[in-house]
């Protein structure tokens, strides 16, 4: 197990925890979406850290493909959430 | 064995990432938070490059930082002065009630506990695991996929079904966005400098997208990154006053949006009719079929992300399809 794998993996867990705290304690939709995106970034960091196998060896491509898919899905989910939030605001409800 | 310089670089990158994350969540002004989020995405792209993940770095810079940031900034613009950071107090009330403060601390401790548990589990699993996993099996069989970039091989050949369903997820999000309501307010026509810049950049972006699509077969790149370039061109056009963001209208727009998932389905069913399994490419045709699917996917991803930025049903969505429709929303 490489040191950089552990370091980046723990950083990913840290982002996950920070994002979760942010999603729970903030009230505005925008802030929560930022927090959720940070949680996603944390998970991606854990995946890519696990896929890394050192400078000389080619990395494991399967987690890379999963993260690539994840990035695109995260953006589309964010866009949908923002559209929903805008609609809620226009129709008078609050987030 | 990695050198000390790399270790210092890693420590610095991790510190910047965590610091930015904290700053994003604790910033008072939402616009500042989004700007920091864009910076976070770009630093994350550098981290991906450091961890030998160039495909992911391209996608993160274009989609995760760029497009996500544009979406969130547009949302901040919509929102009337939203100030909600926990440190903001209404006039005359110095601190939030005790319960809220205790609750915030409790949540913080819970998340810290969860983080420590997951970190410990991660470290244990990493120490015990076989470092090979699927990597050597996949890398050994890339030659059978029709492309030579391992990530493209996994995405479009070995796990093609997952990518097909991901395009369906994109389509679902798009349908949700379009069904919710009309597009957000546009931008006024750009002054000559921006307008001239956009005139130059749009063809360059389209060309770069085409290049990324082509090169994805043997180097970092592929449909997602190429689609992001097209979406970037659309966002630029929209920001400089072009209301339709360069997208087609009516049936052509709707067809482009479903093109990715539809092409996957069409190729898969055609292969089944030819006697092969669903999405089981024959070796001599694999490269061509993958390029065909990726081309359709590029257009679909570009259109979907552009419509996501537009934020709702654009003016031209229904034209050319049903006649005389009235939509109330």
């Amino acid at each position: 197990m490489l040191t950089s794998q552990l370091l980046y993996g723990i950083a990913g867990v840290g982002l996950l925890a920070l994002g979760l705290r942010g999603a729970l304690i903030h009230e505005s939709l925008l802030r929560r979406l930022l927090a959720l995106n940070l949680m996603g970034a944390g998970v991606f960091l854990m995946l890519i850290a696990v896929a890394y196998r050192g400078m000389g060896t080619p990395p494991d491509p399967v987690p890379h493909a999963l993260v690539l898919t994840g990035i695109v899905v995260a953006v589309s989910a964010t866009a949908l959430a923002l559209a929903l939030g805008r609609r809620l605001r226009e129709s008078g409800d609050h987030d | 064995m990695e050198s000390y310089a790399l270790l210092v670089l890693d420590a610095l990158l991790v510190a910047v990432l965590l610091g930015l994350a904290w700053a994003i969540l604790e910033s008072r002004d939402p616009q500042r938070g989004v700007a920091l989020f864009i910076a976070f995405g770009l630093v994350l792209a550098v981290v991906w490059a450091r961890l030998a993940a160039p495909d992911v770095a391209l996608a993160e810079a274009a989609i995760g930082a760029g497009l996500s940031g544009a979406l969130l900034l547009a949302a901040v613009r919509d929102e009337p002065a939203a100030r909600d950071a926990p440190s903001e107090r209404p006039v005359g009330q110095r601190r939030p009630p005790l319960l809220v403060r205790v609750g915030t601390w409790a949540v913080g401790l819970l998340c810290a506990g969860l983080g420590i548990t997951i970190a410990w589990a991660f470290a244990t699993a990493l120490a015990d695991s076989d470092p090979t996993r699927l990597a050597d099996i996949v890398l050994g069989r890339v030659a059978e996929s029709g492309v030579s970039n391992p990530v493209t091989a996994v995405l479009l050949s070995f796990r093609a079904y997952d990518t097909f369903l991901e395009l369906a997820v994109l389509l679902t999000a798009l349908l949700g966005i379009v069904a919710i309501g009309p597009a957000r307010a546009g931008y006024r026509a750009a002054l000559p400098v921006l307008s001239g810049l956009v005139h130059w950049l749009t063809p360059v972006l389209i060309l770069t997208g085409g290049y990324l699509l082509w090169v994805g077969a043997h180097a970092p790149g592929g449909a997602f990154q190429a689609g992001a370039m097209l979406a970037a061109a659309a966002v630029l056009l929209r920001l400089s006053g072009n209301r339709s963001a360069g997208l087609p209208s009516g049936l052509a727009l709707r067809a482009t949006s479903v093109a990715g998932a539809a092409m996957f389905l069409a190729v898969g069913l055609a292969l089944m009719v030819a006697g092969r399994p669903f999405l089981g490419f024959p070796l001599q045709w694999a490269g061509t079929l993958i390029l065909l699917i990726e081309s359709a996917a590029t257009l679909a991803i570009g259109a979907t992300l552009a419509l996501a930025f537009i934020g709702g049903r654009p003016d031209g969505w229904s034209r050319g399809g049903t006649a005389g429709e009235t939509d109330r929303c």
Side-chain angles (χ1 to χ4, degrees):
Chain A
M1 175 188 66
L2 303 169
T3 324
S4 29
Q5 272 190 315
L6 190 60
L7 183 62
Y8 282 111
I10 305 294
V13 177
L15 281 175
L16 190 66
L18 268 177
L20 182 61
R21 174 182 177 272
L24 289 173
I25 70 175
H26 287 288
E27 286 175 10
S28 116
L29 178 65
L30 189 72
R31 201 73 63 164
R32 285 177 155 165
L33 282 177
L34 284 172
L36 284 174
N37 275 311
L38 286 178
M39 285 176 75
V43 172
F44 299 154
L45 195 48
M46 286 169 72
L47 277 171
I48 305 278
V50 160
Y52 179 62
R53 300 196 296 166
M55 294 294 270
T57 334
D60 186 349
V62 179
H64 289 188
L66 296 176
V67 168
L68 207 46
T69 305
I71 290 175
V72 178
V73 169
V75 162
S76 51
T78 302
L80 183 58
L82 286 172
L84 279 170
R86 205 174 107 235
R87 181 73 177 157
L88 275 173
R89 213 175 30 245
E90 282 169 7
S91 73
D93 291 338
H94 299 287
D95 329 291
Chain B
M1 198 36 102
E2 321 247 281
S3 68
Y4 281 126
L6 271 179
L7 204 59
V8 169
L9 175 69
D10 291 343
L12 281 174
L13 282 172
V14 164
V16 168
L17 277 182
L18 292 172
L20 272 175
W22 181 259
I24 290 168
L25 293 172
E26 293 301 309
S27 68
R28 256 163 242 231
D29 178 12
Q31 201 162 343
R32 181 165 180 268
V34 174
L36 287 172
F37 179 73
I38 298 176
F40 175 85
L42 293 175
V43 174
L44 200 54
V46 172
V47 170
W48 299 151
R50 152 69 183 103
L51 289 176
D55 301 74
V56 182
L58 284 173
E60 177 73 47
I63 303 175
L67 213 87
S68 229
L71 273 171
L72 291 164
L73 275 178
V76 167
R77 171 192 175 236
D78 288 338
E79 227 172 282
R83 310 207 144 233
D84 65 294
S87 41
E88 268 291 331
R89 314 267 177 266
V91 179
Q93 185 183 342
R94 272 292 118 195
R95 313 180 76 168
L98 183 65
L99 201 59
V100 171
R101 274 188 294 136
V102 165
T104 307
W105 271 102
V107 167
L109 281 172
L110 225 81
C111 292
L114 185 67
I116 292 172
T117 312
I118 298 179
W120 170 77
F122 179 85
T124 315
L126 208 57
D128 293 341
S129 72
D130 167 21
T132 309
R133 293 177 313 273
L134 292 173
D136 287 340
I137 305 173
V138 168
L139 290 169
R141 297 183 66 165
V142 167
E144 296 174 29
S145 65
V147 294
S148 55
N149 177 2
V151 177
T152 304
V154 172
L155 269 177
L156 267 300
S157 181
F158 303 141
R159 310 276 302 230
Y161 197 48
D162 296 346
T163 309
F164 169 38
L165 291 178
E166 179 218 341
L167 289 174
V169 167
L170 266 182
L171 181 60
T172 309
L174 174 67
L175 290 176
I177 292 170
V178 157
I180 284 174
R184 27 168 95 99
Y187 297 82
R188 59 163 202 225
L191 298 173
V193 175
L194 179 59
S195 178
L197 180 66
V198 171
H199 270 110
W200 276 100
L201 279 180
T202 305
V204 170
L205 281 169
I206 296 175
L207 218 62
T208 310
Y211 169 72
L212 281 173
L213 172 64
W214 176 257
V215 90
H218 55 268
F224 298 109
Q225 295 85 344
M229 291 292 108
L230 295 182
V235 167
L236 273 181
L237 283 170
R238 173 101 176 154
L239 286 173
S240 67
N242 183 335
R243 240 189 111 67
S244 65
L247 294 170
S249 66
L251 189 59
L253 179 58
R254 301 202 297 276
T256 310
S257 309
V258 302
M263 183 62 78
F264 250 116
L265 193 59
V267 169
L269 290 175
L271 285 168
M272 280 182 79
V273 163
R276 298 191 57 89
F278 185 73
L279 290 178
F281 307 127
L283 185 54
Q284 63 270 42
W285 285 100
T288 317
L289 287 173
I290 287 178
L291 184 60
L292 185 64
I293 292 176
E294 282 205 293
S295 308
T298 301
L299 292 175
I301 291 166
T304 303
L305 292 176
L307 283 167
F309 178 74
I310 289 176
R313 192 168 49 245
D315 298 336
W317 180 258
S318 313
R319 227 175 283 144
T322 53
E325 71 154 63
T326 54
D327 58 284
R328 256 167 268 280
C329 46

